Amino acid sequence: MGGTGSAGGHGTLSGQFFDAAIGLLERVRDEEGESVAAASELLADTVADGGRLFAFGAGHSSLAAQDLVYRAGGLALMNLLTVPGVVGVDVMPATLGSALERVDGLASAVLDCSPLRAGDALVIISLSGRNALPVEMALTARSRGVKVIGVTSLAYTTATKPRHSSGTFLKDHCDVVLDSKISVGDAELTLDAVPAPFAPASTVVTSALLQAVMATTAAALTARGIDPPLLRSGNVDGGLEWNDQVFEEYGDRIFYRQ
C-alpha cells in the first residue's frame, strides 16, 4: 500500500501501519482462538504436573520470547532458553546470529547443556520456521519428552523452502502451532519512491499472541484450583514482597535468578 509519509491519520504511512497491525491482530484473535486455548491448556498441564516452562527465539523472534520472562503480570515460571550468539542482535556482527540459525547440530548441543527435561514445555518462536535451529530445537525437544508450542507464520511454508536437512518446517514438530498471519517478508507498507517494502509487524503481533496465551493459561490454572504463579510489578507497593514469595515457592522451576 502507498502513502504520503506525513504524520497522523489513517491516510498516512503511520496510520496505515497501525491499521495493518490492527488488522493482523484481529485476524489472530478471530482465527487462532482454538490454538490459543490448546497452547494454554498445554502450559497449564505442565505447571500443574510440576514441569517447567521455557521460551526460545532467535534474532528478532527472541524479543517476543524475552517479553514472557520475568514479566510483571506474567507467569513467573517462564524461563528464557538462550543460545549464545542468536538471542537478539547484540552479538557482533549481528549477521552472525542469522548464520548460526542455519547451522545443523547447534540445537542438540544447546539442549544437551540446558535444564530442559521430559515433562517441561518449550515455546519456540520463528517467523519463517524454516531455519535449521528452530526446526531441530523442536524435533529434538519432543524426542526428549518435552511438549513444544510453535509460533510461526504458516505463509512461509508455502512460499519458501525449508533449510533443515529433514526438509521440514517448525510447524511439523510441534504439539500446538500458533499462526501469526504475518506475510512473507514481514513488511506491511510500500511506497513508490522506496525500492523495498518496509514496516515489520511481527514483533507486535507475536508478542500480543503470546500474551493472550499467558492470560488464558492463568485462567486455566485458576479453573483447576491452582493459584497461577504470577509476578507483580516491582514498582508498585508490595510488588517486591509478592515476587519474593513466588520465587521462594517456585524457586526450583525458575532459572533466571540462578
Side-chain angles (χ1 to χ4, degrees):
M1 62 179 68
T4 63
S6 59
H10 289 278
T12 64
L13 283 181
S14 60
Q16 289 171 20
F17 176 76
F18 282 119
D19 287 344
I22 291 169
L24 286 165
L25 289 170
E26 288 176 339
R27 282 193 64 197
V28 167
R29 178 198 62 197
D30 296 340
E31 299 173 18
E32 292 300 298
E34 291 186 6
S35 295
V36 167
S40 302
E41 288 298 318
L42 187 156
L43 294 179
D45 286 343
T46 303
V47 173
D49 292 341
R52 296 87 59 81
L53 310 180
F54 294 84
F56 166 77
H60 288 96
S61 290
S62 179
L63 297 176
Q66 293 179 55
D67 191 48
L68 300 177
V69 179
Y70 188 44
R71 192 73 162 85
L75 291 175
L77 304 191
M78 185 62 71
N79 301 278
L80 188 67
L81 182 63
T82 59
V83 179
V86 306
V87 180
V89 292
D90 57 339
V91 63
M92 296 300 290
T95 50
L96 175 61
S98 298
L100 289 174
E101 282 190 74
R102 299 190 290 271
V103 175
D104 283 344
L106 179 57
S108 295
V110 168
L111 291 176
D112 286 342
C113 300
S114 78
L116 207 68
R117 68 187 184 194
D120 292 343
L122 173 60
V123 178
I124 300 178
I125 305 158
S126 173
L127 178 59
S128 71
R130 68 186 297 224
N131 286 313
L133 182 57
V135 173
E136 183 185 325
M137 186 78 74
L139 190 159
T140 306
R142 287 187 84 198
S143 73
R144 299 182 183 189
V146 175
K147 297 294 185 181
V148 175
I149 298 171
V151 188
T152 188
S153 170
L154 294 182
Y156 278 83
T157 64
T158 57
T160 67
K161 295 180 180 179
R163 286 173 169 159
H164 187 250
S165 56
S166 66
T168 59
F169 287 87
L170 169 62
K171 73 172 182 65
D172 299 313
H173 306 286
C174 298
D175 296 279
V176 179
V177 176
L178 297 168
D179 182 7
S180 65
K181 316 295 181 183
I182 301 296
S183 59
V184 176
D186 191 17
E188 295 301 319
L189 302 181
T190 60
L191 195 61
D192 291 342
V194 179
F198 54 98
S202 60
T203 304
V204 173
V205 176
T206 303
S207 291
L209 179 54
L210 283 170
Q211 290 300 344
V213 171
M214 296 301 109
T216 311
T217 301
L221 287 168
T222 301
R224 301 174 189 211
I226 300 172
D227 289 334
L230 297 169
L231 293 174
R232 290 187 174 181
S233 171
N235 296 312
V236 300
D237 291 342
L240 293 176
E241 291 77 12
W242 171 281
N243 292 343
D244 284 342
Q245 291 179 1
V246 174
F247 292 149
E248 182 176 355
E249 182 175 355
Y250 292 96
D252 61 334
R253 293 197 256 176
I254 296 172
F255 298 92
Y256 51 82
R257 298 184 72 238
Q258 299 177 2

